[in-house]
Amino acid sequence: MILGVGTIFGLYLYVKPSLPDVATLRDVKLQTPMQVFSEDGKLISQFGEKRRIPVKYEDIPQHLIDALIATEDSRFYEHPGVDPIGITRAAVVVLMSGSAKQGASTITQQLARNFFLSNEKKLMRKVKEVFIAIHIEQLLTKQEIMELYINKIFLGYRSYGFGAAARVYFGKDLKDLDLSEIATLAGLPKAPSSMNPLYSLERATNRRNVVLGRMLDEKYITQEEYQQAKAETLVSRYHGAEIQLHAPYVAELARAWAVEHYGDDVYDSGLSIYTTVDSKMQAAANKAAVNNLISYDERHGYRGAEKVLWKADQTPMSTEEIEQHLKSVPTYGKLVPAVVTAVSDKSAQVWVKNHGEQTLDWDGMKWARKFLTDDRQGPAPSDSSEIIAVGEQIWVRGETVAIDENQQPQVADVEEEELEQRQDNGETIEQAPIHWRLSQVPNANTAFVAMNPENGAIEALVGGFNFVHNKFNRATQSERQVGSSIKPFIYSAALDNGMTLASLINDAPINQWDESQGTAWRPKNSPPTYGGPTRLRIGLAQSKNVMAVRVLRAVGLDKTRDYLTRFGFDKSRLPRSETIALGAGSLSPVKMAQGISVFANGGYYVEPHYIDRVETPFGEIDYKEQVNTICRDDNCDQSVTQQGDFNEQDINSEVVQHAKQVISPQTAFLVREMMFSNIWGGGDWSHGTGWNGTGWRAQALDRRDIGGKTGTTNDSKDAWYNGYGPGIVASAWVGFDNHNRALGRTTPNSNLGKDQISGAEAGAKTAQPAWIDFMRVALANTPEKSKQIPPHIVRARIDRDSGLLSKKSDSSSMFEYFKEGTEPTEYQSDDITDSIYSESPSEELF
């Protein structure tokens, strides 16, 4: 006995210097993947190698605790970390059988091995394991040991802990498992890689029955429960991380933010990053932006097959070879690779990745006239052979055709990436019939941003056509010329410098000699029509370029550039040139949404943000975004910033409780009015005075609480639409990543119907359709909001032509809004002549 005790004490002294500090278990941070969620809790992405879902002791099913104790350590509550009785029993088995058929490691020893040691079968490792286990028992309670064990142990297929294993093998939360499933998981620690139900259902079932038998022997379950659980057929398949919302550009923003704030270890931190993205808004933005881009690309013509796998005089590939080849070709969102196997007059047979043989009918490919240049397309095809050939690898996209409760066919887009993931997870997907369309990867690209103007929360963000195809985020990283999208900000400066919506600006050509360039600068309207003296409201709504230049001149170039910094725009990105009035400045879509928000919320600058909060693995708040909120109370101590005393550094550095008011509510209202007219126009069509703004296509939304502004740059290299609705602003952009390439023009396709876009590409045709489709969903459940008129705004009846007060009540007059004290004081006289509007050399009408 003395020799034995002395030997043990000697071993302890020998290994003590190399024993870890088990006190670290008190503050242990389990390696758990970082997850990114939408604001409403939809999983967007997961980062990290190990899958783990920590559970607290009180949330662990009692059956699981009983099963582990019965199977792994029946004397768990009696021993001090090592079980002498268990060791003796195992030793006797070794002596009698000649082999180690029975283990002697306690749950505490297994915990020690998992946290601090390797699995190598060496005596010294076992000695250390014993002493560490004893230290653990001295430091932690049995409940704490059991909680750590259940959360730490490896259980196969990258799952660590029983919470993750429940999701991987059964697709359930731990608390929702039945007795048979719990017993299956409890049997895994013995051999997680070979006894799991995915590797061997037979071994897993046999091991489950052993666990159930031990639970019965230890009287944790009744004979009836034992028989019922043992009789159950074990059903298991692999369940990957269930991505519930497709928003990869948002996920990447969140990942980069997390690494910046927490370091590279964040991937195994178990933190839950909750973004500001709304799942409904994001899904709508995804669909609107990508569908619009594909529509733009297809109307410019078909560029041909992605690759030719075999020609007519060569041996065709077998279906097995085709399928093997397609596995190596990525899927880009809605676009799926396919191979043409047969072509007839008005249809074709194609082998589609993950879908096998499918039919491509004429309706799905008749759009595909040949692409010649960005400005020219070939004739409309009349036969399938003019478009595709056998052996070509092409792209197709699917539309699901389902039948609703009224027995009517409904068409919905197929998100192929989501489908692939679900199939990879082992799901059997039952789909409605799919109508396949020929498609192609767009050469142009897109970006879309939706933002809450009250607090700056980004509610949807699309950074491009497809994240797998190109990870560059055009919504935040790409600064493009904004074209006429800048005009609301130019006109806002004019309103704060004495102009009104009724001010007349001369809509006439400008011809200015530039000595430095040796040429004349001749900005033109698009289309090049001119109306002479025109009211300010109409000038913005119809995007009159020459009027914008004259407005800029009236305010002053330097004064205007200073004014634009109120909206958070970087002055260095705004050229010191009159071309700024035509959109020569460069901004990102997020910056544009930020600027439009000032008008939408009544004059307050709100900083865009993507992160709402960060939670620990156990749901505790670790970080909460500090958002500057809008306060419209008179006691907020937020005086209106006057022109000249605004410091753009205030936006970036000043920490304030409330959002800074950068323009007056009255100015914001009047700009909204002009943007409203961009969609709804004005006048009286029945009396011949009606007119449309450039954004008239949004009248399809049938709402009078929306407004916006088109934007098109020189040669149509960038197309924009930026606008607002109740509680939301959105910006859509379309263009080529190659800044030198123009969006071009198209002619009508005789194979298609009359509702097709043609002519020169521009903001209203190229970008606005995405904005309209998004707003249709975003505002679907939002009641139409009545016009919110701020104090100190008055209405006056004016003459439509002169902008002066009118005593008439016929179609020649209208009501207009003015800041109190700026309304006209003169009345329109009946004998006034047009001569007073003629442009003098001094340009009296700006």
Side-chain angles (χ1 to χ4, degrees), residues 482-488 491 507 523-530 534-549 581-583 674-675 677-679 691-696 708-713 720-721 762-764:
V482 295
S484 294
S485 296
I486 201 68
K487 289 176 183 174
Y491 280 52
D507 180 26
K524 296 180 180 180
N525 289 343
S526 180
T529 58
Y530 303 88
T534 304
R535 284 180 284 117
L536 200 70
R537 179 191 281 267
I538 299 174
L540 178 67
Q542 295 191 334
S543 200
K544 299 286 190 177
N545 288 337
V546 294
M547 288 180 65
V549 174
L582 308 181
M674 289 188 283
M675 295 174 73
S677 294
N678 179 258
I679 293 175
W691 56 273
N692 270 326
T694 58
W696 60 267
K709 182 65 189 75
T710 50
T712 310
T713 61
W720 295 81
Y721 197 78

Coordinates of all heavy atoms in Angstrom, one line a residue, residues 482-488 491 507 523-530 534-549 581-583 674-675 677-679 691-696 708-713 720-721 762-764:
V482 N -23.2 59.7 -61.2 CA -24.6 59.5 -60.8 C -25.5 60.2 -61.8 O -26.7 60.0 -61.7 CB -24.8 60.1 -59.4 CG1 -24.1 59.3 -58.4 CG2 -24.4 61.6 -59.4
G483 N -25.0 60.9 -62.8 CA -25.9 61.5 -63.8 C -26.9 62.4 -63.2 O -26.6 63.1 -62.2
S484 N -28.1 62.4 -63.7 CA -29.2 63.3 -63.2 C -29.7 63.0 -61.8 O -30.5 63.7 -61.3 CB -30.3 63.3 -64.2 OG -29.9 63.8 -65.5
S485 N -29.2 61.9 -61.2 CA -29.6 61.6 -59.9 C -29.1 62.7 -58.9 O -29.6 62.8 -57.8 CB -29.0 60.2 -59.4 OG -29.5 59.2 -60.2
I486 N -28.1 63.5 -59.3 CA -27.6 64.5 -58.4 C -28.5 65.7 -58.4 O -28.5 66.6 -57.5 CB -26.2 65.0 -58.9 CG1 -25.4 65.7 -57.8 CG2 -26.3 65.9 -60.1 CD1 -25.0 64.7 -56.7
K487 N -29.5 65.8 -59.3 CA -30.3 67.1 -59.5 C -31.1 67.4 -58.2 O -31.3 68.6 -57.9 CB -31.1 67.0 -60.7 CG -30.3 67.1 -62.0 CD -31.1 67.0 -63.3 CE -30.2 67.0 -64.5 NZ -31.0 66.7 -65.7
P488 N -31.7 66.4 -57.5 CA -32.5 66.8 -56.3 C -31.7 67.6 -55.3 O -32.2 68.5 -54.7 CB -33.0 65.5 -55.8 CG -33.0 64.5 -56.9 CD -31.9 65.0 -57.8
Y491 N -31.1 71.1 -56.7 CA -32.3 71.9 -56.6 C -32.6 72.2 -55.1 O -33.2 73.3 -54.8 CB -33.5 71.2 -57.2 CG -33.5 71.3 -58.8 CD1 -32.4 71.0 -59.5 CD2 -34.7 71.7 -59.4 CE1 -32.5 71.1 -60.9 CE2 -34.8 71.8 -60.8 CZ -33.6 71.5 -61.5 OH -33.7 71.7 -62.9
D507 N -35.2 77.1 -70.1 CA -34.9 75.8 -70.7 C -34.5 76.0 -72.2 O -35.3 75.9 -73.1 CB -36.1 74.8 -70.6 CG -35.8 73.5 -71.3 OD1 -34.6 73.1 -71.3 OD2 -36.8 72.8 -71.6
P523 N -23.9 71.6 -73.2 CA -24.8 70.6 -72.5 C -26.2 70.6 -73.2 O -26.7 71.6 -73.6 CB -24.9 71.1 -71.1 CG -24.6 72.6 -71.2 CD -23.6 72.8 -72.3
K524 N -26.7 69.4 -73.3 CA -28.0 69.2 -74.1 C -28.9 68.4 -73.2 O -28.6 67.7 -72.3 CB -27.7 68.4 -75.4 CG -26.8 69.1 -76.4 CD -26.7 68.3 -77.6 CE -25.8 69.0 -78.6 NZ -25.6 68.2 -79.9
N525 N -30.2 68.7 -73.5 CA -31.3 67.9 -72.8 C -31.3 66.6 -73.5 O -30.9 66.4 -74.6 CB -32.6 68.6 -73.0 CG -32.7 69.8 -72.1 OD1 -32.0 70.0 -71.1 ND2 -33.7 70.7 -72.4
S526 N -31.9 65.6 -72.8 CA -32.1 64.3 -73.4 C -33.6 63.9 -73.1 O -33.9 63.6 -72.0 CB -31.2 63.2 -72.8 OG -31.4 62.0 -73.3
P527 N -34.4 63.9 -74.2 CA -34.1 64.2 -75.6 C -33.9 65.7 -75.8 O -34.2 66.5 -74.9 CB -35.4 63.7 -76.3 CG -36.5 63.9 -75.2 CD -35.8 63.5 -73.9
P528 N -33.2 66.0 -76.9 CA -32.8 67.4 -77.1 C -34.0 68.3 -77.5 O -34.0 68.9 -78.6 CB -31.8 67.3 -78.2 CG -32.2 66.1 -79.0 CD -32.8 65.1 -78.0
T529 N -34.9 68.5 -76.6 CA -36.1 69.4 -76.8 C -36.0 70.4 -75.7 O -35.6 70.2 -74.6 CB -37.4 68.7 -76.8 OG1 -37.5 68.0 -75.5 CG2 -37.5 67.6 -77.9
Y530 N -36.5 71.6 -76.0 CA -36.3 72.8 -75.1 C -37.7 73.5 -75.1 O -38.3 73.7 -76.1 CB -35.2 73.7 -75.6 CG -33.9 73.0 -75.7 CD1 -33.5 72.3 -76.9 CD2 -33.0 72.9 -74.6 CE1 -32.3 71.6 -77.0 CE2 -31.8 72.2 -74.7 CZ -31.5 71.5 -75.9 OH -30.3 70.8 -75.9
T534 N -39.3 77.7 -67.8 CA -40.0 76.5 -67.3 C -39.9 76.5 -65.8 O -38.8 76.9 -65.2 CB -39.3 75.2 -67.8 OG1 -39.4 75.2 -69.2 CG2 -40.1 74.0 -67.3
R535 N -40.9 76.1 -65.1 CA -40.9 76.1 -63.7 C -40.0 75.1 -63.1 O -39.7 74.0 -63.7 CB -42.3 75.9 -63.1 CG -43.3 77.1 -63.2 CD -44.7 76.8 -62.7 NE -45.4 75.9 -63.6 CZ -45.9 74.7 -63.4 NH1 -45.6 74.2 -62.2 NH2 -46.6 74.0 -64.3
L536 N -39.4 75.4 -61.9 CA -38.4 74.6 -61.3 C -38.9 73.1 -61.1 O -38.2 72.2 -61.3 CB -38.0 75.2 -59.9 CG -36.7 74.7 -59.3 CD1 -35.6 75.3 -60.1 CD2 -36.6 75.2 -57.9
R537 N -40.2 73.0 -60.7 CA -40.8 71.7 -60.5 C -40.7 70.8 -61.7 O -40.3 69.6 -61.6 CB -42.3 71.8 -60.0 CG -42.9 70.4 -59.8 CD -44.4 70.6 -59.6 NE -44.8 71.0 -58.3 CZ -45.2 70.2 -57.3 NH1 -45.1 68.9 -57.5 NH2 -45.5 70.7 -56.2
I538 N -41.0 71.4 -62.8 CA -41.0 70.6 -64.1 C -39.5 70.3 -64.5 O -39.2 69.3 -65.0 CB -41.7 71.4 -65.2 CG1 -43.2 71.7 -64.9 CG2 -41.6 70.7 -66.6 CD1 -43.9 72.6 -65.8
G539 N -38.6 71.3 -64.2 CA -37.2 71.1 -64.6 C -36.6 69.9 -64.0 O -35.9 69.1 -64.6
L540 N -36.9 69.6 -62.7 CA -36.4 68.4 -62.0 C -37.2 67.2 -62.5 O -36.6 66.2 -62.8 CB -36.5 68.5 -60.5 CG -36.0 67.3 -59.7 CD1 -34.5 67.1 -59.9 CD2 -36.4 67.4 -58.3
A541 N -38.5 67.3 -62.5 CA -39.3 66.1 -62.9 C -39.0 65.6 -64.3 O -39.0 64.4 -64.5 CB -40.8 66.5 -62.8
Q542 N -38.7 66.5 -65.2 CA -38.4 66.1 -66.6 C -36.9 66.1 -66.8 O -36.5 65.9 -68.0 CB -39.1 67.0 -67.6 CG -40.6 66.9 -67.5 CD -41.3 67.6 -68.6 OE1 -40.8 68.6 -69.2 NE2 -42.5 67.1 -69.0
S543 N -36.1 66.3 -65.8 CA -34.7 66.2 -65.8 C -34.0 67.0 -66.9 O -33.3 66.5 -67.8 CB -34.3 64.7 -66.0 OG -32.9 64.5 -65.7
K544 N -34.4 68.3 -66.9 CA -33.8 69.2 -67.9 C -32.4 69.6 -67.6 O -32.1 70.3 -66.6 CB -34.7 70.5 -68.0 CG -36.2 70.2 -68.4 CD -36.3 69.9 -69.9 CE -37.7 69.9 -70.3 NZ -37.9 69.7 -71.8
N545 N -31.5 69.1 -68.4 CA -30.0 69.4 -68.1 C -29.7 70.8 -68.1 O -28.9 71.3 -67.2 CB -29.2 68.6 -69.1 CG -29.2 67.1 -68.9 OD1 -29.5 66.6 -67.8 ND2 -28.9 66.4 -70.0
V546 N -30.1 71.6 -69.1 CA -29.7 73.0 -69.2 C -30.3 73.8 -68.1 O -29.6 74.7 -67.6 CB -30.0 73.6 -70.6 CG1 -29.3 72.9 -71.7 CG2 -31.5 73.5 -70.8
M547 N -31.4 73.4 -67.6 CA -32.0 74.1 -66.4 C -31.1 73.8 -65.2 O -30.9 74.7 -64.4 CB -33.4 73.6 -66.2 CG -34.4 74.2 -67.2 SD -36.1 73.6 -66.9 CE -36.5 74.4 -65.4
A548 N -30.7 72.6 -65.0 CA -29.8 72.2 -63.9 C -28.6 73.1 -63.9 O -28.1 73.5 -62.8 CB -29.5 70.8 -63.9
V549 N -28.0 73.3 -65.0 CA -26.7 74.1 -65.1 C -27.1 75.5 -64.7 O -26.3 76.2 -64.0 CB -26.2 74.0 -66.6 CG1 -25.0 75.0 -66.7 CG2 -25.7 72.6 -66.9
A581 N -23.6 69.6 -62.2 CA -25.0 69.7 -62.3 C -25.6 68.6 -63.2 O -26.8 68.3 -63.1 CB -25.4 71.0 -62.9
L582 N -24.8 67.9 -64.0 CA -25.2 66.9 -64.9 C -24.8 65.5 -64.4 O -25.0 64.5 -65.1 CB -24.6 67.1 -66.3 CG -24.9 68.5 -66.9 CD1 -24.3 68.5 -68.3 CD2 -26.4 68.8 -67.0
G583 N -24.2 65.5 -63.2 CA -23.9 64.2 -62.5 C -22.5 63.7 -62.8 O -22.3 62.5 -62.7
M674 N -41.1 67.7 -56.0 CA -40.5 67.6 -57.3 C -40.2 66.1 -57.7 O -40.5 65.7 -58.8 CB -39.2 68.4 -57.4 CG -39.4 69.9 -57.3 SD -37.9 70.9 -57.6 CE -37.1 70.7 -56.1
M675 N -39.8 65.3 -56.7 CA -39.5 63.9 -57.0 C -40.9 63.2 -57.2 O -40.9 62.2 -58.0 CB -38.7 63.3 -55.9 CG -37.3 63.9 -55.8 SD -36.4 63.3 -54.4 CE -36.0 61.6 -54.9
S677 N -43.4 64.5 -58.7 CA -43.7 64.9 -60.1 C -42.9 64.1 -61.1 O -43.3 64.0 -62.2 CB -43.6 66.4 -60.3 OG -44.5 67.1 -59.5
N678 N -41.7 63.6 -60.7 CA -40.9 62.8 -61.6 C -41.7 61.6 -62.0 O -41.5 61.1 -63.1 CB -39.6 62.5 -60.9 CG -38.7 61.6 -61.8 OD1 -38.7 60.4 -61.6 ND2 -38.1 62.2 -62.8
I679 N -42.5 61.1 -61.1 CA -43.4 59.9 -61.4 C -44.7 60.3 -61.9 O -45.2 59.8 -63.0 CB -43.5 59.0 -60.1 CG1 -42.2 58.4 -59.7 CG2 -44.6 57.9 -60.3 CD1 -42.2 57.6 -58.5
W691 N -48.5 66.6 -68.4 CA -47.1 66.2 -68.7 C -46.7 65.1 -67.8 O -47.2 65.0 -66.6 CB -46.2 67.5 -68.6 CG -46.2 68.2 -67.3 CD1 -47.1 69.2 -66.9 CD2 -45.4 68.0 -66.2 NE1 -46.8 69.6 -65.6 CE2 -45.8 68.9 -65.2 CE3 -44.3 67.1 -65.9 CZ2 -45.1 68.9 -63.9 CZ3 -43.7 67.1 -64.7 CH2 -44.1 68.0 -63.7
N692 N -45.7 64.4 -68.2 CA -45.1 63.3 -67.4 C -43.7 63.6 -67.0 O -43.0 64.3 -67.8 CB -45.1 62.0 -68.2 CG -46.3 61.2 -68.0 OD1 -46.9 61.2 -66.9 ND2 -46.8 60.4 -69.0
G693 N -43.2 63.1 -65.9 CA -41.8 63.1 -65.5 C -41.1 61.9 -66.1 O -41.7 61.0 -66.7
T694 N -39.8 61.9 -66.0 CA -39.0 60.8 -66.6 C -39.3 59.5 -65.9 O -39.0 58.4 -66.5 CB -37.5 61.1 -66.6 OG1 -37.1 61.4 -65.2 CG2 -37.2 62.4 -67.4
G695 N -39.8 59.5 -64.7 CA -40.0 58.3 -63.9 C -41.5 57.8 -64.0 O -41.9 57.1 -63.1
W696 N -42.2 58.2 -65.1 CA -43.6 57.9 -65.2 C -44.0 56.4 -65.1 O -45.1 56.0 -64.7 CB -44.2 58.5 -66.5 CG -43.5 57.9 -67.7 CD1 -42.5 58.4 -68.4 CD2 -43.9 56.7 -68.4 NE1 -42.2 57.6 -69.5 CE2 -43.1 56.6 -69.5 CE3 -44.9 55.8 -68.2 CZ2 -43.1 55.5 -70.4 CZ3 -45.0 54.7 -69.1 CH2 -44.1 54.6 -70.2
G708 N -39.2 59.9 -57.0 CA -37.9 59.5 -57.3 C -37.2 60.3 -58.3 O -37.7 61.4 -58.7
K709 N -36.1 59.9 -58.8 CA -35.3 60.6 -59.8 C -34.5 59.6 -60.6 O -33.8 58.8 -60.1 CB -34.4 61.6 -59.1 CG -33.6 62.5 -60.2 CD -34.6 63.3 -61.0 CE -33.9 64.0 -62.1 NZ -33.6 63.1 -63.3
T710 N -34.7 59.7 -61.9 CA -33.8 59.0 -62.9 C -32.4 59.5 -62.9 O -32.2 60.7 -62.6 CB -34.4 59.0 -64.3 OG1 -34.7 60.4 -64.6 CG2 -35.7 58.2 -64.3
G711 N -31.5 58.7 -63.4 CA -30.1 59.1 -63.6 C -29.5 58.4 -64.7 O -29.5 57.2 -64.7
T712 N -29.0 59.2 -65.7 CA -28.3 58.6 -66.8 C -27.0 59.4 -67.1 O -27.1 60.6 -67.2 CB -29.1 58.5 -68.1 OG1 -30.4 58.0 -67.8 CG2 -28.5 57.7 -69.2
T713 N -25.9 58.8 -67.2 CA -24.6 59.5 -67.5 C -24.4 59.6 -69.0 O -25.1 59.1 -69.8 CB -23.4 58.8 -66.8 OG1 -23.3 57.5 -67.4 CG2 -23.6 58.7 -65.4
W720 N -29.4 54.9 -63.3 CA -29.8 54.9 -61.9 C -31.3 55.1 -61.8 O -31.9 55.8 -62.7 CB -29.1 56.1 -61.2 CG -27.7 56.0 -61.0 CD1 -26.7 56.3 -62.0 CD2 -26.9 55.6 -59.9 NE1 -25.5 56.2 -61.5 CE2 -25.5 55.8 -60.2 CE3 -27.3 55.2 -58.6 CZ2 -24.5 55.5 -59.3 CZ3 -26.3 54.9 -57.7 CH2 -24.9 55.1 -58.0
Y721 N -31.9 54.7 -60.7 CA -33.1 55.2 -60.2 C -33.1 55.2 -58.7 O -32.8 54.2 -58.1 CB -34.4 54.5 -60.7 CG -35.6 55.3 -60.5 CD1 -35.9 56.3 -61.4 CD2 -36.4 55.2 -59.4 CE1 -37.0 57.2 -61.2 CE2 -37.5 56.0 -59.2 CZ -37.8 57.0 -60.1 OH -38.9 57.9 -59.9
A762 N -31.4 54.0 -70.6 CA -31.4 55.1 -69.7 C -31.9 54.7 -68.3 O -32.4 53.6 -68.1 CB -32.2 56.3 -70.3
G763 N -31.8 55.6 -67.3 CA -32.2 55.3 -66.0 C -33.6 54.8 -65.9 O -33.9 53.8 -65.2
A764 N -34.5 55.4 -66.6 CA -36.0 55.0 -66.6 C -36.2 53.6 -67.2 O -37.1 52.9 -66.7 CB -36.8 56.1 -67.3

